[in-house]
Amino acid sequence: MTNFDLFALPQQLMTSLKKMKYETPTPVQAEVIPLALQGLDILATAQTGTGKTAAFGIPLVTKVLTTEKGSCLVLTPTRELAVQVINVLHQLLGFKTPIKTALLIGGEPMFKQFQQLKANPRIIVGTAGRIYDHLNRKSLTLKDTNLLILDEIDRMLDMGFGIQLDKILKYLTNQHQTLMFSATLPSEILKISEKYLVNPKRVTIGTVNKPVDEVHQEIIRVAESDKYEKLLGELDKRQGSIIVFVKTKYATERLAQKLLKQEHNVEAMHGDLRQRKRDKVIHAFRQKRYRIMVATDIAARGLDIAHVEHVINYDLPQCPEDYIHRIGRTGRAGAQGSALSFISPADNKKWKAINLLLDPQSSRTN
């Protein structure tokens, strides 16, 4: 598939794609879009940064533009990803569209969300917790929902939303199409796909459970007590934007303050920040107003910031799959990126688990 013209999309959508400078479909878009337009259920596995949002966004927008009734629901694991998804959908719809949308996430005023829902939105994007809250309040109904998108389903399960997903899907009718997207393919995903999908088409782009080839990975073995000094040296020798991942909310603030004292341009990002503050931090990082973001795994998902050149795992993630999502913050859309991991003696077990995920045939600890 060499261009979007071959999908026979609505002219309004084609105009939006040209404004967004979308010219050639990425591999995941080339495979998913025609299948989705046929109304088929899909289980798609693709590495981060490969264009998954547009892969489901284009069929979704096509559906609402070419039908008069029915709504579409997009579930995401994090608020940040929900915001990013709805922004892309707004761009695809075009500036003057009459199509109403609703963003239902925690940390945002309920009154504002009630107003959006009263307008009978045809596109609803949100997190599982807030979506289920509205269903319980009866401020949201899914009786006319004919398209369900489960974005980053692996992360949703990691975060413990499996029970809520089951409850939400009971509100949908049997006559709906489901598209499920995952960057990794643990066994739980295959089990849940059997429950949620009907005769799904499988789409696999790249090597499952591997980061994109554009990311250069390296490690440094270091004593825990020497990590900070080693980090300072690595920051000084690197150019461009950097995300430093740590394991706790407290550690993000502490490390960010220490780096500020060293005159680094840095901000902290973690789940205890109010939504408005989180949005502000992400927006400023996107605009390159500061160079370094120190973050927990909340930033490992849903941040599509093309200029991130480096990811540094100051602490290794607790879950091996999160390693792939972390380093997927760089090397996006074909750009080059680097990922550096600090490995202390206490990290050997975690690093072995990561290696086994990346290469099941290997038992190397590197």
Side-chain angles (χ1 to χ4, degrees):
M1 189 68 68
T2 57
N3 60 68
F4 289 97
D5 292 324
L6 299 177
F7 293 130
L9 302 172
Q11 186 55 49
Q12 181 179 336
L13 179 52
M14 288 300 298
T15 299
S16 297
L17 290 171
K18 289 176 182 177
K19 288 182 179 179
M20 296 167 72
K21 298 182 179 179
Y22 280 30
E23 297 176 355
T24 303
T26 66
V28 69
Q29 292 163 6
E31 291 206 33
V32 166
I33 291 172
L35 295 174
L37 291 174
Q38 293 175 47
L40 300 171
D41 283 8
I42 298 172
L43 171 58
T45 307
Q47 299 150 329
T48 57
T50 54
K52 287 185 290 180
T53 303
F56 67 74
I58 289 171
L60 183 155
V61 170
T62 298
K63 181 178 280 287
V64 298
L65 290 178
T66 56
T67 59
E68 295 183 358
K69 296 181 179 180
S71 64
C72 304
L73 173 63
V74 183
L75 286 174
T76 71
T78 66
R79 304 172 190 175
E80 286 70 28
L81 183 53
V83 171
Q84 185 170 288
V85 166
I86 205 164
N87 285 340
V88 171
L89 295 179
H90 284 159
Q91 292 179 68
L92 291 171
L93 285 167
F95 179 66
K96 296 182 179 180
T97 180
I99 304 294
K100 302 297 183 183
T101 66
L103 177 64
L104 308 181
I105 58 175
E108 289 290 324
M110 290 295 285
F111 175 77
K112 179 180 177 182
Q113 296 178 13
F114 290 148
Q115 294 300 108
Q116 292 176 350
L117 290 170
K118 285 179 181 178
N120 296 316
R122 296 197 62 198
I123 298 175
I124 301 159
V125 180
T127 50
R130 184 53 62 94
I131 293 290
Y132 186 61
D133 189 7
H134 279 288
L135 289 169
N136 271 338
R137 292 169 180 262
K138 294 183 169 48
S139 50
L140 170 64
T141 178
L142 302 178
K143 290 180 181 178
D144 71 340
T145 300
N146 51 32
L147 176 59
L148 171 66
I149 311 291
L150 299 173
D151 192 14
E152 301 202 350
I153 182 69
D154 47 347
R155 181 56 169 166
M156 277 193 249
L157 296 180
D158 288 344
M159 296 172 72
F161 291 136
I163 294 175
Q164 285 183 324
L165 284 176
D166 284 339
K167 292 179 178 178
I168 290 170
L169 263 69
K170 289 179 181 178
Y171 285 85
L172 279 78
T173 68
N174 291 329
Q175 301 301 314
H176 71 271
Q177 177 186 10
T178 303
L179 311 183
M180 184 182 295
F181 289 79
S182 179
T184 59
L185 196 61
S187 59
E188 300 95 306
I189 300 299
L190 294 174
K191 290 179 183 177
I192 207 167
S193 69
E194 294 174 357
K195 181 163 53 172
Y196 292 163
L197 306 180
V198 178
N199 299 321
K201 294 293 184 180
R202 283 284 305 273
V203 173
T204 302
I205 303 299
T207 305
V208 175
N209 292 341
K210 289 215 174 189
V212 295
D213 293 335
E214 285 76 10
V215 179
H216 173 69
Q217 301 174 69
E218 56 184 318
I219 66 171
I220 293 179
R221 293 198 174 273
V222 60
E224 189 72 32
S225 59
D226 295 333
K227 271 188 182 180
Y228 179 66
E229 289 301 322
K230 184 64 70 173
L231 175 65
L232 291 178
E234 291 298 324
L235 294 177
D236 286 341
K237 71 165 75 167
R238 293 168 189 266
Q239 302 294 320
S241 299
I242 303 171
I243 300 179
V244 179
F245 282 105
V246 295
K247 60 187 173 184
T248 68
K249 302 166 187 176
Y250 171 74
T252 63
E253 295 286 355
R254 184 167 174 239
L255 183 57
Q257 288 299 319
K258 289 176 72 173
L259 292 174
L260 276 172
K261 291 179 181 178
Q262 296 290 328
E263 300 185 350
H264 283 286
N265 195 4
V266 60
E267 277 277 9
M269 175 69 177
H270 55 79
D272 277 354
L273 297 178
R274 292 182 178 273
Q275 188 61 41
R276 184 172 296 181
K277 174 64 174 176
R278 286 160 68 165
D279 292 344
K280 186 177 179 181
V281 169
I282 292 171
H283 180 72
F285 190 54
R286 199 182 298 276
Q287 298 297 316
K288 299 185 180 182
R289 294 177 190 165
Y290 62 94
R291 177 176 173 246
I292 303 167
M293 177 190 288
V294 180
T296 57
D297 280 318
I298 193 171
R301 300 282 188 135
L303 287 187
D304 186 3
I305 301 176
H307 63 73
V308 175
E309 296 184 37
H310 309 279
V311 166
I312 298 178
N313 290 309
Y314 190 79
D315 298 319
L316 289 182
Q318 297 296 321
C319 175
E321 285 83 4
D322 281 338
Y323 174 83
I324 295 172
H325 297 295
R326 283 184 179 190
I327 71 174
R329 297 312 99 201
T330 187
R332 300 185 72 80
Q336 297 294 312
S338 77
L340 172 66
S341 298
F342 290 166
I343 304 176
S344 70
D347 290 326
N348 284 335
K349 187 174 181 180
K350 290 181 184 177
W351 186 242
K352 182 176 181 179
I354 290 169
N355 272 301
L356 286 173
L357 175 69
L358 298 177
D359 181 5
Q361 304 302 317
S362 172
S363 60
R364 293 174 291 118
T365 59
N366 282 350

